[in-house]
Each structure stands twice: as structure tokens, then as C-alpha cells.
Amino acid sequence: MYKCAVILAAGEGKRMKSELPKVLHKVCGKEMVNHVIDTMRAAGLEEVNVIVGKGADKVKEMTSSRQVSYSFQDKQLGTGHAVICAKDFLQGKKGAVAIFTGDAPLIKVETVQSLIKHHEEGGYSAVILTSIMENPQGYGRIIRDAEGVEKIVEHKDCTEEQLLVKEVNAGMYVFDIESLLESLNKLTNDNAQGEYYLTDVIAILKSEGKRVGALTTDFEETLGVNSRVELAVAEQVMRERINKKHMINGVTIIDPKTTYIDSEVEIESDTLIYPGNVLQGKTIIKSGCVIYPNNRIQDSIIEKGVTVQSSVILESSIGENTTVGPYAYIRPESVIGNNARIGDFVEIKKSTIGDNTKVSHLTYIGDAEVGRDCNFGCGTVVVNYDGKKKHKTIIGNNAFIGCNTNLVSPVEVKDNSYIAAGSTITREVPSGSLAIARAKQVNIEGWVNRRNSNK
Ligand code: UD1
Ligand code: CA
């Protein structure tokens, strides 16, 4: 059977109090709507259509990598109206459509699949996902009769008695496409909010003698995010799931409560993660690494056996068995080789550092290519910026850069050369030579005694 998905993402999300459309707020580093899209795809739905409206351009931009189609809802007249706006997408299709909301990112692939299976096996026109909530405030209530679900009543339209119902509508459904399209024509906005409710489709189908089923799942999965408070709850649930997945895969996480790993981060087994780490974006950490406390690593590749401590690594790669930190700052587009050392208070910007090279302390390297087996003394500065332009520094293999050296770019330091401590290098250092670029020391004999006798 043909199966597709429609995701509702046209609302503004007033309760978020944000410039950003609600569905673009992130949970564990990924926009809520993208969580829902990815889950739909993983559940095997062939086509995904996203209904956009408020902030449509932004929503399209942020979902563009995911090959979805869009419907446009000009005015936000309710969830039923939103689906009416997807008519062009649905018209003429035979099969099932899963309708989910873009503000409920915690739904699991297995649950989507179970809902579809329930729909198929039960021969229903519609199935609703429900959950039981201790505090169902704000959710639509599931009203049951002897045969099953009779209707859904929105919180604001509930009678005193209906408000006591704890079974709520998750806002997630699977419909037979043709039945859905027919009943959408019959929606009215005769309710407390003056909106066209998708939820009214259920009573319409029932009144036509069609079968409506329901499947109940854990309420945690159905949490809709309407405010920043709920966003933080979703974040916490997602974070626990992500950490658990990595632990099951063989990663040791000493304190999952203080370990923040984005959805798309990959970590290989036998890596050890101490508390206070923030691993973001598409970071990949290979096996056997030790991630000591307090790092932020974003969109970077950390090869096997690396240790990192109290450092920031952005859009860079770190070679095998290299050590980073404490207090290193590795900025975008840097490539650090194997068995290297980037020590304390070292900043590397858009530079490559070769294998076995040691940059142990208090050094800045920017826009440079550094070879292998080099040693940087404490306090080296690559002077890459002349106030207008950035220039490049090239250092060969096996160079020894003495402490407190300035390398005024553009400049080249050839293989096997030495630079004396305190030098300001402005010209090429030839291979195999020693460069000294500082004033000669002068000792004035007896100076102290002479000064004292003059007093
Ligand atoms: C909706 C359900 C409610 C359910 C709850 C679960 C209706 C009428 N109510 O209520 O039964 O318990 O979700 O979370 O469906 N949207 C549009 N266009 C619109 C209005 C909304 O695209 O005109 C989108 C929003 O962007 C959002 C989703 O639909 O992603 C849900 O809308 P929201 O206003 O949050 O509905 P709820 O009041 O939460
Ligand atoms: Ca909602």
C-alpha cells in the first residue's frame, strides 16, 4: 500500500515568544520539524509533505536538505484547514497518509510503524495515537463509546465531565487518503477557537459509519512543544535517549545527566566521556578516545585514541592519539595530525599541523601549514594579520621554533631549521639553518656599583 506523510508546520507558536517559527526551535541540536521528518522517513513513508505558513521561507530553508515537498497555508485557520491546504498533494492518491505535527519531536519510529500497521490490519478509515496524561491541560480529549473512539474534543470545548478524561489526542494520525479528503469538505469552524479542527474529522467519519481506531502510547513520546518550558522537557527526554543509545553501543558516559550530545553525533565504542561535555552537530568521535571534562566539540572528527580536556574544537579534525588541551581553542578548518600535541592556551585557526608536532603552550597559529615533527616553544605567535589582510605561514618538517618567536606572515620556515628564542622572523629561514632575529645582548660591567656610588 502507498504511504505518505503530511507534517503540520505552519503555526507561529505564539507561546514560544520567539522570532523563529516554533518548529525550527532545536531539540538536541536538530530542529523539531526535522526530527519529525527524519522519523517519518525512517518509518518507511515514501513521500513527505510539509505544510508551511508562518515563517515559510525559513522553514523551507532549514528543511531543504531533506527532499520534502511543501504545501502553503496562507492564514492559520486551524489544523483541519492546514490539511485542506495539502489537498493538491493528496488528491488522486490511494493509500494511507500519516499526519503528524511538527512540534512533537519525541515520537519514535517504532510507534509510527505500529500506528500504520494498526491502520492496515484493522481496516480503519482513521487511527489516532493517544496517550494517558496525569495533567492533560491543553490537549484534545479522546471520548470513547462502546465501539471505540467516538470523537475528540478540544480542551477549550470540553464540558466539566470531559475535562476529567485523561486520554488525550497526540495529534498524530493515519488516515485513508480518500476518506480524509471527503470529510475535510465537511469541516466547520463552529467551536470555542473559531478554527477548522482536524480532530473533527473523527466524528465526521464516525457519523458516516466508518471505523476509527486508536493506539495508546507512552505520553513522553507525544509531548507537544508549545512553550520554552516544554522545549526543555523535550530536550531532556531526547538527551536521555541519545545517551542511552551511545552507552548501549559501548561508549562509557560517566554522568549522563551532565553530558549533552546532539542527535547526529556518532561515537565509536570504548570511548570514555567525562561530565560536562557538549558534543554538537555532525561530530564523529572514533574509538578509544578519552573526552575529559568540559569540552565543546562541534562538527569535528576526532580520530582513534585522542584525549581532549577543557577545550573548544570547531569544524576541525584531530588525528589519532593526539592530545588536546587543557584550554586549547581549535577553530574551523584546522587539521591536526596523528600523535600531535596541542597543549594549554594554544589557539589554532584554519591551519594544518603535521604528525608528531608539539605545540605545547601559550601559542597562536593562524593560516599556517605546519609539517611533521616540529616543536613550538612556549609563546610562539604567528603574526598572520597585517591589519588589512591575512597572510600564510609555511613551516616544513622537523623545525624547532624557539620560545617567544614571532613569525611575521607571509613567511616560510624550511625543513630541519632552528629559530632562536625571542626571534621576530620576517624572512625565509633556509633548510638546516639557525635563525636569530633579536638584538644582541650587551653586558655593561660594573654598572650597578657605579649607579649606587653616584647617589
Ligand atoms: C492539537 C490538537 C489536539 C492535540 C494536540 C497535541 C487540533 C485542533 N488539536 O492541539 O487535539 O491534543 O495538538 O499536541 O488539532 N498548525 C498549522 N496550521 C494551523 C494551526 C496549527 O500548521 O492553522 C500546526 C502547528 O504549527 C503545530 C500543529 O499544527 O505544529 C499543532 O497546532 P497547535 O496549535 O499546537 O495545536 P494544539 O492546540 O496543540
Ligand atoms: Ca501543539
Side-chain angles (χ1 to χ4, degrees), residues 15 22 103 224-226:
R15 288 165 281 178
K22 176 168 74 173
D103 67 347
V225 172
N226 299 307

